[in-house]
């Protein structure tokens, strides 16, 4: 049985009866379309107080509408063994969408969760903008289409069973645990009905979705469907894909960003090293193929390459910051004299890395006239087009398989590893299993650009008359567009990235407070000297840190409690509710020891609302030990986080996403950044890229899921970061008495590590036969 559907893409659906079609096909096929009363946005197009564009129509809305035209091309299959198979046109990179999607299908179809098999769809160019994984949008854009498809399929199965049982009407039957059940208790498994439910003439039908009270899985706590495979080692990532003769391959990268190869002085000697089969030059470096990754590393280290410098030259952090400062947009409101007060703030955010657990990797088998690539890709359509162009093949001769990735946080929006693998395989004439060295992931991978965020507010009495924020950033590469070929091509035009960045900033930055005349503007550099990209939640974490620190400063300026001040000025009741929840649960205002402090942060995005209370220990004598070095600095001791994202699909999955976002928030505020020096980054692995570790992780984390009665899911994959980051920054201020203005706060401190050298030529190690990766 095959099920097709059209996207719903709205925040709210006016009724639970939705039109669709039984499509003529050898097996049961279903197409779904929207009823006429659901073709408008599901939220008001006017707001009671002035707001920003994102408060009316946000990025999630645009993605929902973009997915709508082609969603009928996606299919679901019920096989004769009764199992349900669904190829999800999104990438699973740890956010849990395979599990939540299976829960939605199982609930609507009345089938055991174990019998629902969700896989990841290969690249399908006909889906256009409906195969982008980003913007926390997967569940939002697929929830109603998946439910509707399952409901139509369930209706068709009831019809077929009624005929098989001698003409019983569907209303006399019900479904349970993968079977249709007759009044007398007879059960017909779905697998026995799959063929009989097919029709030979397309027919319009209506689908009745289950009422919320009948949903047994959605809204509960369910363990990951892939958990057993993960802990037993059976789960397959890109490096686990079995492709005959695909040997380990690595690339010797240049000592400066975007440097190029002039020549390889000792290529003949390196190819004679143990296990090495190929040494070839590709646009991004020198690729080496060998029997083991250990042998690849030895060969890469032994290479003597004459490098041409990259476009960044010998620039360092200070040079990039100077260019950003020159691009800053002036404030519109001058400093206000007389009775009004002006509150000005200015913040700087360093370069940061996505730092996913799974390093950049891909498997490629390029043959004469065709290619096949396996990788964790969030924009597989764009990847297919770019790979075909680079290889010189027609697009239909390049097959791209989406494989589950071990983390992303924005990194897998780009095809860098897949491109290296494909070009290496083509040059070598052999399949490759390519993986980047961890140092190259930091130094040549995609980085979140350096930025500044400035805020000016004018205050009269207890009221804020004006609020304006100016965010200025290095260029963010949006070469992936919105997952389709057209916008990805447009992004590569001279100002293409800039146009997309403005669109995304406009639709993700809303007005959180009643602060009078409110504006928030972005400017970005347009040079393409660095390899950049979006990091989890794109602009919002830095924007929220600047906003919430400024809110605390305003409250201090007028002598108000930060919690009460926020509460009195918040524009949205749902946002006020989550703020109240964390203030109560976290005992806001309780007495704290010296050098300890509490901080608050709030954030709204993706049709959801969040608030966070953080407690921090910034005692000068506190010394926390990393694996190799003594590291001094503050430690977040407690986090209370409340989130309202509308309908929750999987409670444990949502809590896990919020916890991950909290760890990201602690990192970007306190410890983790990249240092640009003389044309490249100093960090080379997790031993010096100081992501949140055990020594600075909170002792106590509370996640509160707030039910606002909304029947549609909001976005959650990135949502934990902004409010938590803001709360950490404010807690640090409360504990130290000094408002932080540079992030992370340890960025300008002396390095706690010795920078790892750039591919130094060394003799092969005694362990050259081992399969190891640093």
């Amino acid at each position: 049985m095959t099920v097709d559907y059209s996207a719903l893409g709205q925040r709210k659906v006016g009724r639970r009866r939705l039109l669709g079609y039984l499509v003529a096909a050898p097996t049961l096929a279903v197409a779904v379309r929207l009823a006429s009363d659901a073709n408008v946005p599901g939220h008001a197009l006017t707001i009671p107080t002035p707001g920003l564009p994102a408060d009316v129509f946000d990025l999630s809305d645009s993605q929902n509408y973009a997915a709508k035209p082609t969603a009928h091309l996606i299919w679901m299959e019920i096989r004769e063994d009764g199992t349900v198979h669904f190829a999800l046109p999104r990438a699973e990179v740890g956010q849990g969408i395979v599990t939540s999607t299976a829960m939605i299908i199982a609930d609507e179809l009345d089938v055991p969760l174990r019998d629902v098999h969700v896989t990841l769809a290969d690249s399908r160019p006909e889906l256009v903008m409906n195969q982008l994984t980003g913007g926390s949008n997967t569940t939002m854009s697929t929830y109603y289409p998946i439910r509707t498809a399952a409901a139509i399929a369930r209706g068709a199965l009831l019809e077929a069973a009624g005929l098989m049982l001698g003409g019983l009407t569907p209303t006399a039957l019900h479904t349970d645990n993968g079977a249709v059940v007759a009044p007398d208790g007879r059960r017909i498994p779905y697998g026995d009905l799959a063929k009989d439910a097919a029709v030979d003439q397309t027919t319009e039908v209506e689908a009745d979705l289950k009422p919320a009270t009948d949903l047994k899985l959605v809204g509960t706590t369910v363990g990951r469907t892939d958990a057993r495979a993960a802990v037993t080692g059976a789960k397959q990532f890109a490096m686990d894909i079995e492709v005959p003769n695909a040997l380990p391959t690595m690339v010797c990268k240049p000592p400066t960003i975007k440097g190029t190869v002039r020549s390889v002085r000792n290529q003949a000697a390196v190819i004679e090293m143990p296990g090495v089969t190929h040494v070839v030059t590709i646009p991004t470096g020198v690729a080496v193929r060998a029997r083991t990754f250990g042998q690849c590393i030895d060969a890469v280290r032994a290479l003597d390459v004459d490098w041409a410098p990259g476009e960044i030259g010998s620039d360092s952090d200070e040079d990039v910051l100077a260019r950003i400062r020159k691009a800053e947009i002036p404030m519109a409101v001058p400093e206000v004299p007389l009775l009004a007060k002006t509150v000005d703030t200015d913040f700087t955010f360093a370069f940061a890395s996505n730092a996913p657990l799974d390093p950049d990797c891909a498997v490629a088998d390029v043959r004469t006239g065709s290619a096949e690539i396996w990788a964790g890709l969030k924009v597989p359509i764009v990847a297919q087009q770019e790979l075909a162009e680079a290889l010189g093949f027609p697009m239909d001769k390049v097959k791209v398989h989406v494989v589950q990735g071990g983390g992303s946080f924005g990194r897998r929006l780009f095809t860098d590893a897949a491109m290296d693998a494909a070009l290496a395989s083509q040059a070598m004439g052999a399949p490759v299993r390519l993986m980047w060295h961890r140092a190259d992931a930091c130094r040549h991978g995609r980085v979140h650009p350096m930025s500044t965020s400035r805020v000016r507010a004018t205050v009269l009495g207890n009221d804020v008359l004006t609020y304006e924020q100016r965010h200025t950033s290095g260029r963010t590469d949006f070469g992936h567009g919105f997952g389709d070929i057209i916008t990805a091509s447009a992004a590569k035009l001279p100002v293409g990235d800039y146009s997309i960045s403005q669109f995304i900033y406009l639709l993700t930055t809303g007005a959180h407070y009643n602060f009078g005349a409110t504006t928030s503007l972005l400017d970005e550099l347009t040079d393409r000297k660095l390899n950049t990209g979006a990091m989890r939640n794109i602009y919002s974490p830095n924007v929220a840190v600047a906003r919430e620190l400024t809110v605390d400063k305003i409250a201090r300026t007028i002598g108000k409690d930060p919690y009460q001040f926020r509460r009195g000025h918040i524009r949205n009741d749902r946002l006020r509710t989550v703020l109240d929840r964390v203030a109560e649960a976290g005992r806001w205002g309780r007495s704290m020891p010296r050098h300890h402090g509490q901080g608050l942060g709030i954030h709204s995005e993706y049709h959801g609302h969040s608030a966070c209370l953080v407690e921090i220990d910034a005692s000068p004598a506190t010394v926390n030990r990393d694996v190799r070095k003594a590291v001094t600095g503050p430690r977040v001791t407690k986090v209370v986080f409340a989130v309202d994202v509308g309908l929750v699909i999987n409670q444990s999955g949502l809590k896990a996403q919020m916890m991950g976002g909290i760890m990201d928030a602690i990192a970007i505020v306190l410890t983790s950044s990249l240092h640009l020096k003389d044309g490249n980054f100093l960090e080379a692995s997790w031993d010096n890229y100081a992501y949140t570790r055990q020594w600075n992780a909170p002792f106590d984390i509370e996640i509160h899921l707030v039910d606002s009665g909304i029947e549609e899911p909001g976005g959650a994959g990135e949502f934990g970061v902004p409010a938590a980051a803001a709360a950490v920054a404010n807690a640090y201020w409360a504990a130290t008495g000094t408002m932080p203005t540079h992030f992370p706060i340890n960025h300008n401190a002396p390095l706690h590590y010795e920078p790892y050298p750039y591919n130094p030529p060394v003799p092969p190690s005694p362990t050259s036969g081992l399969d190891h990766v640093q």
Side-chain angles (χ1 to χ4, degrees):
M1 182 178 72
T2 300
V3 178
D4 293 338
Y5 56 81
S6 295
L8 294 176
Q10 267 62 251
R11 180 178 296 184
K12 293 183 179 179
V13 175
R15 60 188 183 186
R16 291 188 174 276
R17 173 162 289 190
L18 299 169
L19 290 173
Y21 300 95
L22 289 174
V23 180
T27 58
L28 177 59
V30 180
V32 181
R33 72 172 177 84
L34 287 174
S36 60
D37 63 346
N39 283 327
V40 295
H43 56 297
L45 294 178
T46 59
I47 49 181
T49 56
L52 299 177
D55 299 310
V56 179
F57 186 90
D58 69 5
L59 185 63
S60 298
D61 295 312
S62 70
Q63 289 181 278
N64 291 347
Y65 278 111
K68 177 181 173 181
T70 61
H72 65 284
L73 299 175
I74 303 168
W75 53 273
M76 184 186 302
E77 178 186 6
I78 298 179
R79 297 181 180 173
E80 291 185 70
D81 61 0
T83 58
V84 183
H85 294 257
F86 177 67
L88 179 65
R90 300 293 188 272
E92 169 70 80
V93 288
Q95 72 273 50
I97 56 174
V98 164
T99 299
S100 59
T101 298
M103 291 171 66
I104 295 167
I105 294 170
D107 241 0
E108 197 66 45
L109 255 178
D110 276 330
V111 67
L113 185 63
R114 65 177 180 274
D115 289 340
V116 180
H117 301 277
V118 178
T119 56
L120 305 180
D122 291 345
S123 171
R124 297 183 59 193
E126 69 274 16
L127 294 180
V128 194
M129 294 183 183
N130 199 8
Q131 205 171 3
L132 164 69
T133 307
S136 299
N137 187 250
T138 293
T139 302
M140 295 180 71
S141 61
T142 63
Y143 174 68
Y144 271 115
I146 290 173
R147 284 194 65 188
T148 304
I152 292 177
R154 178 164 44 86
L157 292 167
L158 287 167
E159 291 272 6
L163 293 174
M164 187 177 292
L165 291 167
L168 291 176
T169 63
T171 56
L173 307 171
H174 70 277
T175 55
D176 174 65
N177 205 34
V180 175
V181 184
D184 60 5
R186 285 179 292 171
R187 301 174 63 89
I188 306 178
Y190 285 170
D192 293 348
L193 297 167
K195 288 185 176 180
D196 291 331
V199 296
D200 56 12
Q201 183 176 355
T202 299
T203 308
E204 185 175 271
V205 296
E206 289 184 340
D208 289 306
L209 303 188
K210 286 184 176 181
T213 53
D214 288 351
L215 299 179
K216 301 175 183 178
L217 286 175
V218 168
T220 67
T221 294
V222 173
R224 292 277 295 262
T225 56
D226 55 357
R228 179 179 294 274
V231 299
T232 59
K235 190 172 179 178
Q236 285 204 327
F237 299 92
M239 288 295 91
D240 302 313
I241 300 299
E242 291 296 332
V243 175
N245 202 33
L247 294 184
T249 303
M250 300 186 78
V251 179
C252 178
K253 297 285 186 178
T256 56
I257 296 170
K258 294 189 177 180
T260 55
V261 178
R262 290 195 182 107
S263 65
V264 181
R265 300 185 182 96
N266 63 341
Q267 180 169 347
V270 172
I271 205 168
E272 294 298 323
M273 291 177 65
V276 175
T277 65
H278 295 80
V279 178
V280 300
T281 297
I282 61 176
T284 57
V286 182
V288 176
R289 181 173 179 267
R291 291 196 310 270
T292 71
F293 279 111
Q295 292 168 338
C296 286
I297 291 175
D298 289 337
V300 165
R301 288 176 171 173
L303 282 166
D304 184 7
V305 182
D306 180 18
W307 298 102
E311 299 175 21
I312 197 70
S314 58
D315 279 3
S316 298
D317 278 344
E318 299 77 13
D319 303 296
V320 177
L321 181 58
R323 291 198 291 272
I324 290 173
R325 289 294 185 191
K326 289 181 180 179
E328 289 177 340
I329 302 173
M331 298 292 184
V333 178
E335 292 191 29
V336 180
L338 300 176
L339 298 178
K341 299 177 182 178
T342 299
V343 175
D344 280 322
T345 53
D346 190 334
F347 307 96
T348 301
F349 301 88
F351 290 105
S353 172
N354 305 104
L357 178 65
D358 193 13
D360 302 282
C361 55
V363 176
D365 185 2
V366 180
R367 306 185 181 191
T368 303
S370 67
E372 198 165 2
I373 291 92
W374 295 259
L377 297 167
K378 297 174 75 172
V379 285
I381 297 172
V382 175
Q384 184 180 4
Q385 188 271 334
E386 291 180 345
L387 289 165
E389 182 179 355
L391 294 170
F393 295 163
M395 192 167 169
D396 62 357
K397 297 298 183 183
V398 177
K399 183 174 289 188
V400 172
H401 305 284
V402 179
V403 183
Q404 185 157 342
S408 172
F409 318 110
R411 180 65 186 94
R412 303 189 194 285
L413 287 165
F414 295 91
T415 62
D416 302 324
M419 184 66 72
D420 279 358
L423 292 175
S425 178
Q426 184 179 50
M428 295 171 179
V432 302
R433 187 181 305 277
L434 183 139
M435 180 165 58
W436 282 28
H437 194 289
R438 183 68 70 180
D440 294 332
C442 283
R443 293 175 169 175
H444 295 278
R446 300 288 168 163
V447 300
H448 192 241
M450 179 184 289
S451 66
T452 65
S453 208
R454 298 170 298 124
V455 181
R456 172 170 291 175
T458 58
V459 183
L460 182 61
N462 294 330
D463 296 321
V464 180
L465 304 179
T466 66
Y467 176 93
E468 48 187 340
Q469 186 161 1
R470 303 290 182 262
H471 194 76
T472 313
S473 173
R475 163 186 166 265
T476 304
D477 188 343
F478 287 110
H480 47 75
F482 292 96
D484 66 299
I485 296 171
I486 296 174
T487 61
S489 299
K492 295 175 176 62
L493 297 173
V495 294
D497 286 325
Y498 188 85
S499 300
I500 293 179
S501 68
Q502 291 292 339
F503 177 85
I504 290 176
Y505 186 85
L506 191 70
L507 296 189
T508 56
T509 306
H512 291 66
Y513 300 96
N514 287 314
F515 279 173
T518 297
T519 60
S520 186
L521 303 177
L522 168 74
D523 194 21
E524 279 199 347
L525 303 181
T526 56
D527 68 69
R528 303 191 176 193
K529 298 178 180 181
L530 292 163
N531 297 312
T532 64
M535 197 169 77
R536 199 175 194 179
N537 226 189
I538 316 178
Y539 303 105
S540 296
N542 295 352
V543 169
V545 166
R547 180 189 67 235
E548 296 299 302
L549 279 168
T550 304
V551 171
D552 261 38
K553 186 173 182 179
I554 296 171
R556 290 168 182 245
T557 299
I558 63 177
K560 294 292 185 181
D561 173 76
Y563 162 55
Q564 293 297 340
F565 178 74
R566 282 178 171 81
R567 198 177 189 284
H569 288 81
I570 284 176
R571 299 177 63 249
N572 184 282
D573 289 339
R574 290 170 64 193
L575 184 54
R576 184 179 294 105
T577 298
V578 293
L579 174 63
D580 289 343
R581 178 68 64 89
V582 299
E584 179 183 0
R587 298 172 57 202
W588 170 258
R590 75 183 183 89
S591 178
M592 301 287 290
R594 190 183 178 196
H595 302 305
H596 289 65
Q598 290 182 319
L600 291 169
I602 65 170
H603 190 69
S604 296
E605 198 170 352
Y606 306 129
H607 301 178
H609 306 275
S610 62
C612 186
L613 181 149
V614 160
E615 293 185 357
I616 202 168
D617 176 3
S619 304
T622 299
V623 177
N624 303 297
R625 295 198 170 271
D626 197 357
V627 177
R628 300 183 182 182
K629 301 284 185 179
V631 179
T632 60
R635 177 172 190 165
V636 173
T637 57
K638 183 175 183 177
V639 176
V640 181
F641 195 97
V643 59
D644 171 6
V645 291
L647 177 67
V648 176
I649 306 300
N650 186 357
Q651 290 190 21
S652 62
L654 177 58
K655 289 180 179 180
Q657 286 300 302
M658 297 305 106
M659 288 181 185
I662 289 166
M663 297 304 157
D664 277 352
I666 293 170
I668 65 176
V669 171
L670 299 181
T671 61
S672 67
S673 60
L674 296 169
H675 293 76
L676 182 68
K677 185 175 177 59
D678 298 332
N680 216 330
F681 293 105
L682 299 181
E683 282 71 21
S685 191
W686 280 332
D687 59 347
N688 45 52
Y689 185 72
Y691 187 77
T692 303
R693 310 294 181 87
Q694 190 64 42
W695 62 260
N696 67 330
F699 300 113
D700 184 10
I701 298 179
E702 296 179 20
I703 308 295
H704 296 260
L705 308 183
V706 177
D707 182 4
S708 57
I710 304 297
E711 295 185 358
E712 291 77 39
E718 305 164 89
F719 197 44
V721 186
V728 172
N730 272 321
Y732 178 84
W733 185 2
T736 63
T738 301
M739 183 178 73
T741 58
H742 291 76
F743 299 96
I745 62 169
N746 73 339
H747 182 74
N748 294 323
L751 297 179
H752 68 277
Y753 60 90
E754 185 70 26
Y756 185 79
Y758 293 91
N759 298 327
V762 294
S765 71
T767 59
S768 61
L770 298 180
D771 189 4
H772 68 281
V773 176
Q774 290 188 348

